[in-house]
Amino acid sequence: MPLVSMRQLLDEAAQGAYGVGAFNVNNMEQIQAIMEAARETKSPAIVQASRGARSYSQDRFLYHLMLAATELYPEIPTVLHLDHGNSVETCKSAIAMGFTSVMMDGSLMPDGKTPSTFEYNVKATREVVETAHSKGITVEGEIGCLGGIEDGHGAGLDALSHLTDPDQAVEFVRQTGVDALAIAIGTSHGAYKFTKKPTGETLKMDRLLEIHRRLPNTHLVMHGSSSVPKELQDIINQYGGKLKPTWGVPIEEIQLGIKNGVRKINVDTDNRLAMTGAIRKVFWEKPEEFDPRSYLKPARDAMKKVVAQRMTQFGQAGHAGDYAPISLEEMAKRYQQHLTA
Ligand code: 13P
């Protein structure tokens, strides 16, 4: 089947009360790992590429790898999503290339660092929604800025003020018509999220519950949702790595989120850790090896294992065959008729 819209996957996930992992990719092995995990667990798949990934892969390579994925795994409903689009132009260029979903992250200015105003965020996101929906493409927006609470400066602001404000979230969804909403509840990208197992003070699940209560029909997105398992940290350190002790987002908190409106869960770091650990192991144990396949294959297998585990934990396993794809043309018609907008 062709690449499908993310809106369809998330609507189905809401109906089935499960979450869908969105896994970041930069190359062929990572795409293969996700598609193999999806086949093994019979899961729908969201494959996402950031701006960095697009530039690393000269994004046309990535796009054609994704077309290969749809040919080789025709039974898997698969989305190609832009992660953290920093401007209207970036989102438009992804849409022009064939992405079936885009994130307009207007919580920050186009430099990707400076927190923006609510008005800027609404304006930029609304513009992307208009272009995307006319083509049946899905839009994820973000309100509040991702960032930890422990260090007291998520995105350069004070400890709590960068978190999503529920009133603003309601207003933002009303004014933009986004399909999915990323919220800030104390998670951050990368391996160093928490210095100890997070508590209600550092991971604000109560905020998520409140947002879901106010926006029961909006698909919520959890960014920075790697669990950073100790086993994966240990493999890296056992084979010469130097990771400092760290904690990620516990799976049970993500599952609580899924019970409360979270439909998309972003995971990148766990897969990076798994691949790097596998590569280090080969280099450590077989220093005579120099065929890239000798370490890329174990790296791909290690990522597949993590992705399959997450697909099962998030509940998407077994749902790949639940529905036939809705064409982007049909999605565009539905948006025009305001059936799903
Ligand atoms: P992690 O760094 O926790 O994997 O988060 C990835 C992410 O949110 C991508 O947008």
Side-chain angles (χ1 to χ4, degrees):
M1 70 177 83
L3 290 167
V4 297
S5 78
M6 191 166 80
R7 177 70 193 239
Q8 187 186 8
L9 254 73
L10 300 188
D11 283 349
E12 289 287 341
Q15 269 200 355
Y18 58 89
V20 186
F23 303 101
N24 289 74
V25 297
N26 305 277
N27 63 21
M28 180 182 77
E29 285 76 10
Q30 293 172 315
I31 294 174
Q32 290 173 322
I34 297 167
M35 298 314 296
E36 279 296 309
R39 172 165 284 167
E40 187 177 281
T41 61
K42 300 186 172 47
S43 297
I46 301 175
V47 177
Q48 60 184 12
S50 65
R51 257 192 320 145
R54 287 177 72 190
S55 97
Y56 175 80
S57 65
Q58 297 166 277
D59 58 7
R60 189 152 286 280
F61 276 120
L62 210 57
Y63 178 64
H64 283 270
L65 287 168
M66 288 305 298
L67 293 186
T70 61
E71 286 171 20
L72 292 168
Y73 301 84
E75 80 281 17
I76 304 296
T78 304
V79 174
L80 176 58
H81 173 77
L82 169 70
D83 191 23
H84 289 285
N86 65 318
S87 67
V88 175
E89 289 66 40
T90 304
C91 293
K92 285 187 177 171
S93 74
I95 293 169
M97 170 152 296
F99 282 61
T100 52
S101 178
V102 294
M103 176 184 191
M104 172 63 222
D105 181 359
S107 72
L108 301 174
M109 296 304 287
D111 67 5
K113 289 197 277 264
T114 314
S116 69
T117 61
F118 180 77
E119 291 69 29
Y120 165 84
N121 194 355
V122 166
K123 186 168 177 293
T125 306
R126 180 74 227 164
E127 195 179 332
V128 172
V129 166
E130 274 159 22
T131 305
H133 283 186
S134 72
K135 297 177 165 59
I137 307 293
T138 312
V139 181
E140 173 184 338
E142 175 167 326
I143 186 82
C145 296
L146 289 173
I149 294 171
E150 283 173 338
D151 59 7
H153 16 239
L157 302 171
D158 70 61
L160 292 177
S161 66
H162 64 290
L163 300 185
T164 304
D165 173 73
D167 290 334
Q168 275 200 348
V170 170
E171 216 22 55
F172 183 78
V173 168
R174 194 182 68 76
Q175 291 190 32
T176 59
V178 286
D179 301 280
L181 183 68
I183 56 170
I185 54 169
T187 67
S188 53
H189 293 138
Y192 299 102
K193 300 180 196 303
F194 305 106
T195 55
K196 51 184 185 300
K197 191 170 182 212
T199 63
E201 294 305 306
T202 49
L203 179 60
K204 293 281 187 191
M205 295 304 292
D206 53 345
R207 185 70 66 107
L208 186 150
L209 267 54
E210 171 66 8
I211 296 166
H212 176 56
R213 199 181 62 75
R214 305 279 303 276
L215 287 169
N217 299 318
T218 298
H219 302 313
L220 301 180
V221 183
M222 272 176 80
H223 279 246
S225 290
S226 277
S227 299
V228 196
K230 178 146 185 328
E231 311 86 79
L232 295 181
Q233 298 178 43
D234 287 347
I235 294 173
I236 290 183
N237 288 340
Q238 185 184 344
Y239 297 107
K242 281 204 170 78
L243 294 177
K244 290 174 282 182
T246 178
W247 272 261
V249 182
I251 295 292
E252 61 272 18
E253 301 293 351
I254 298 172
Q255 289 170 334
L256 173 67
I258 293 169
K259 286 201 179 81
N260 290 280
V262 170
R263 298 292 157 236
K264 174 172 181 270
I265 304 104
N266 284 15
V267 174
D268 184 5
T269 297
D270 285 352
N271 293 324
R272 294 180 175 198
L273 293 171
M275 292 186 93
T276 298
I279 290 171
R280 278 193 171 281
K281 184 167 189 290
V282 174
F283 285 174
W284 186 271
E285 290 179 343
K286 298 181 190 156
E288 71 285 2
E289 277 290 357
F290 58 88
D291 179 344
R293 289 170 300 186
S294 71
Y295 51 89
L296 290 177
K297 194 167 176 303
R300 186 174 62 191
D301 290 345
M303 173 162 165
K304 177 192 157 191
K305 204 168 140 206
V306 172
V307 173
Q309 199 182 27
R310 294 290 173 273
M311 286 172 159
T312 305
Q313 291 162 329
F314 299 161
Q316 73 204 82
H319 288 288
D322 286 0
Y323 46 94
I326 300 172
S327 70
L328 295 178
E329 293 73 24
E330 172 60 23
M331 286 303 293
K333 254 190 242 157
R334 292 187 187 192
Y335 284 123
Q336 218 176 13
Q337 295 160 352
H338 298 290
L339 289 182
T340 54

